Amino acid sequence: MEELKNELISEAEQEITTQLQIEVSQAVQKLTEAEGEEQAEVFSEILNGAEAGTIAILLESLPLDERYDRWQQVEPEERVDVLNLMRADPRLGILKKMPDEELDLIFSQLSPEDLIDWSDSLPDSITDRALAQMGERQRKHFELYDQYDENEIGRYADHQMLVLNLDSTVAQGQRFFRRIDLDCNDHLFLVDINDKYLGTVRRYDVFKADVDALLSSLLWQDSRVIPADSSLLEAAETIEHSRELELPVVDDEGILIGRMTLRTATALVREHYESQLMATAGMDDDDDLFAPITVGARRRAVWLGINLLTAFLASATIGLFENVLSQVVALAVLMPIVASMGGIAGSQSLTLMIRGMAMGQISAGNVMSLLKNELGIGALNGVLWAIVIGLIAGWWFDDPMMGVIIGCAILINMAMAAIAGVMVPMILQRFNQDAALSGSVILTTVTDVVGFFTFLGLATILYL
C-alpha cells in the first residue's frame, strides 16, 4: 500500500511538473514573438501571479537588450528572488546594466547565503560593493562561509535555524517553533556558550514534553551532523539517507555554523547533474543563452581545438594504411561502422562510471570488479555484433575475408572501449581532472584509433 501511495504521489508530481513546463514554454513563445510595446504588455500580464522562477526563465529567454527592458518591469520587492533563480551569466549581465542606486538597493536585501552563491561568478569589485551594503553581523557570516571552497557544504550552509542553549526549557522551544517560520524546519539545535554543537531536539518531542522540562532532556540520540568540509554530494547523500528535513553543519572544532535542508540537497544534486550534462559539451551550466558572440565563441574555441587535435590523431592513424585503402575501396566504406560501434560501447561504460563516481559508489576496492564486469559485457556484445556485421559485410561485398576482418575489428574495439570507459575517468580523477568534461573526447580518440588501426592493420596483413 505504501509503495502504491508513493507511486501515485510521484505520478502526480510529474504531471504537475510537465504542466508547469508547458505553461512556461507557452509564455516564452508568446513573449518572444511580441516586440516593443506589445512585448511590454505581454510581460506585464505574465507578471501578475507569476512565480520568481518563471520570471527568471522568461528573462533568460530574451536577447540582452530586450531582457533589461523587461527587467525594469519587475517589482523591486521581487527582484532579489528573481536574480537568485537566474543563471550566473544572465544575472551578471543585468547587474552590470543597473544604475548604482538600484544596485545598492538590491545588495541591501541580500542575505550572506545569497551573496556567497552569487560571488562564485561575480567580479571582486561587485562583491565588495555588496558587502559594503551589509551589516557587520552579515559580513561575518559571509566571511565564515567564504573560507570553504565551492565544492564544500560549509560554503552554502543556511544560518537561519532554531538554536538555543542547553539550559533552555521546553516552553522556550515551543515558542521558537510557533513564532519563527522556516523552510524544512523540524529540529531545534542546542549549543553551549561558545556555539559548540551539543545535540538536536525534534519538534515532535518538544510539543509532547512537559513545558517546564529542559530541552537537554529531549536530546535525540540518533541525530547526525554534516562536517562543513564535506563535498556537496556527500552532504546531500547524508541527508538523503537520514530521512530528515534538515541536519546541522559543524566545522572541524564542532562549532555549529548552519544547517542543510532537504530542499537545498535536492537543488545541489540537480545543479550537479545539469553541470555534468553541460560539461560533456565543454560548456558551463551558467552560460547565457544569449551571451555575446565573442564571449560564446571564445568559450567554445578551446573545446573545438582539443577535438581537432584528436581528429588529426585519428586521421594520422588512417594515413598509415594509405596503400591498402587505395587497393581495397570497401575498407573506406566500412571504417565508420568500426569506430561508431566502439564509440557507443565506450560511452555506455563511461556514463556508468561518471554516475557511479558522482554518487560515491566507485572506489579502489571495487574498480577491478567493475572493469571485469564491463569487459565481459563488451566481449559478449562484441562477439554478437561481430558475427552480425561480419555476415552483412561479407555478403554486401561478396568477400568472406572482409567479413572476418571487420568482425575481428569490432570485437577488439568493443572490448577496448569497455576498458577505456572504466579506466579513463579513473585516471582523470587521479590527476584532478573533470571526467565529464574531457572523458568523452579521450574515449572517442581511443576507440577511433584502436578501431581504425585494428581494422586497417588486419586488412593490410590479409590483403597485401
Side-chain angles (χ1 to χ4, degrees), residues 28-182:
V28 167
Q29 181 177 354
K30 189 175 180 181
L31 185 63
T32 53
E33 288 177 350
E35 295 181 1
E37 291 299 323
E38 182 185 357
Q39 188 183 80
E41 293 176 5
V42 170
F43 192 64
S44 180
E45 293 175 3
I46 294 173
L47 285 177
N48 293 327
E51 296 182 352
T54 301
I55 299 173
I57 293 173
L58 293 176
L59 289 171
E60 289 180 3
S61 69
L62 294 172
L64 301 180
D65 292 337
E66 293 179 14
R67 179 184 300 162
Y68 189 70
D69 289 340
R70 301 291 72 79
W71 163 255
Q72 293 177 307
Q73 293 181 245
V74 179
E75 295 294 332
E77 60 271 15
E78 295 180 350
R79 290 187 170 185
V80 170
D81 290 338
V82 173
L83 288 171
N84 274 331
L85 294 169
M86 293 183 74
R87 297 181 185 275
D89 277 4
R91 178 171 60 226
L92 180 58
I94 287 178
L95 292 176
K96 284 183 174 180
K97 282 198 167 190
M98 292 178 67
D100 289 346
E101 59 273 14
E102 291 185 15
L103 200 58
D104 290 340
L105 179 61
I106 289 288
F107 289 152
S108 68
Q109 302 173 50
L110 278 185
S111 68
E113 293 94 340
D114 292 337
L115 184 55
I116 277 290
D117 189 34
W118 292 20
S119 67
D120 294 338
S121 57
L122 289 181
D124 291 341
S125 58
I126 296 183
T127 301
D128 292 340
R129 187 184 188 102
L131 285 171
Q133 303 301 317
M134 290 185 170
E136 183 179 354
R137 182 178 177 84
Q138 288 180 308
R139 285 196 293 270
K140 285 183 178 179
H141 278 300
F142 178 87
E143 292 169 0
L144 172 65
Y145 299 148
D146 197 39
Q147 66 181 301
Y148 298 99
D149 67 36
E150 295 178 17
N151 190 45
E152 293 178 334
I153 191 58
R155 186 173 183 83
Y156 306 104
D158 181 1
H159 76 268
Q160 295 184 344
M161 53 188 171
L162 301 187
V163 182
L164 285 172
N165 61 49
L166 204 59
D167 298 327
S168 301
T169 64
V170 169
Q172 290 175 294
Q174 290 180 357
R175 283 199 296 273
F176 258 42
F177 277 119
R178 289 192 181 104
R179 294 178 181 176
I180 303 176
D181 183 24
L182 297 177

Side-chain angles (χ1 to χ4, degrees), residues 179-191:
R179 294 178 181 176
I180 303 176
D181 183 24
L182 297 177
D183 181 48
C184 296
N185 185 212
D186 201 37
H187 299 99
L188 193 154
F189 306 120
L190 300 186
V191 298

Side-chain angles (χ1 to χ4, degrees), residues 124-358:
D124 291 341
S125 58
I126 296 183
T127 301
D128 292 340
R129 187 184 188 102
L131 285 171
Q133 303 301 317
M134 290 185 170
E136 183 179 354
R137 182 178 177 84
Q138 288 180 308
R139 285 196 293 270
K140 285 183 178 179
H141 278 300
F142 178 87
E143 292 169 0
L144 172 65
Y145 299 148
D146 197 39
Q147 66 181 301
Y148 298 99
D149 67 36
E150 295 178 17
N151 190 45
E152 293 178 334
I153 191 58
R155 186 173 183 83
Y156 306 104
D158 181 1
H159 76 268
Q160 295 184 344
M161 53 188 171
L162 301 187
V163 182
L164 285 172
N165 61 49
L166 204 59
D167 298 327
S168 301
T169 64
V170 169
Q172 290 175 294
Q174 290 180 357
R175 283 199 296 273
F176 258 42
F177 277 119
R178 289 192 181 104
R179 294 178 181 176
I180 303 176
D181 183 24
L182 297 177
D183 181 48
C184 296
N185 185 212
D186 201 37
H187 299 99
L188 193 154
F189 306 120
L190 300 186
V191 298
D192 63 15
I193 57 174
N194 297 314
D195 290 330
K196 187 171 184 177
Y197 173 74
L198 300 175
T200 296
V201 177
R202 296 183 294 181
R203 177 194 290 263
Y204 173 79
D205 294 332
V206 169
F207 283 99
K208 188 178 65 172
D210 184 349
V211 293
D212 295 323
L214 293 177
L215 288 174
S216 58
S217 65
L218 304 178
L219 285 177
W220 185 34
Q221 299 302 317
D222 293 331
S223 63
R224 302 185 186 186
V225 299
I226 299 177
D229 57 1
S230 298
S231 72
L232 302 183
L233 287 178
E234 287 174 348
E237 188 174 285
T238 298
I239 195 168
E240 179 185 4
H241 291 168
S242 73
R243 297 187 179 182
E244 299 299 322
L245 293 178
E246 58 181 336
L247 287 178
V249 177
V250 300
D251 65 14
D252 54 3
E253 296 181 355
I255 303 299
L256 179 66
I257 68 169
R259 64 171 184 151
M260 182 183 191
T261 66
L262 184 59
R263 188 185 299 277
T264 301
T266 302
L268 289 173
V269 171
R270 184 185 67 250
E271 290 172 5
H272 171 77
Y273 284 110
E274 284 180 358
S275 65
Q276 292 284 306
L277 177 63
M278 294 291 285
T280 59
M283 301 177 68
D284 193 319
D285 62 321
D286 280 326
D287 284 353
D288 191 349
L289 185 64
F290 289 98
I293 293 174
T294 54
V295 174
R298 185 175 65 249
R299 286 173 174 169
R300 302 183 195 187
V302 174
W303 189 257
L304 292 171
I306 293 172
N307 186 70
L308 178 62
L309 292 175
T310 62
F312 273 130
L313 181 58
S315 296
T317 303
I318 297 172
L320 295 174
F321 303 96
E322 184 177 350
N323 290 336
V324 71
L325 278 169
S326 63
Q327 296 185 38
V328 186
V329 180
L331 295 174
V333 178
L334 295 173
M335 276 198 313
I337 298 176
V338 179
S340 177
M341 292 298 290
I344 292 173
S347 67
Q348 291 171 339
S349 297
L350 181 68
T351 302
L352 187 70
M353 280 293 295
I354 291 175
R355 184 184 68 183
M357 290 166 65

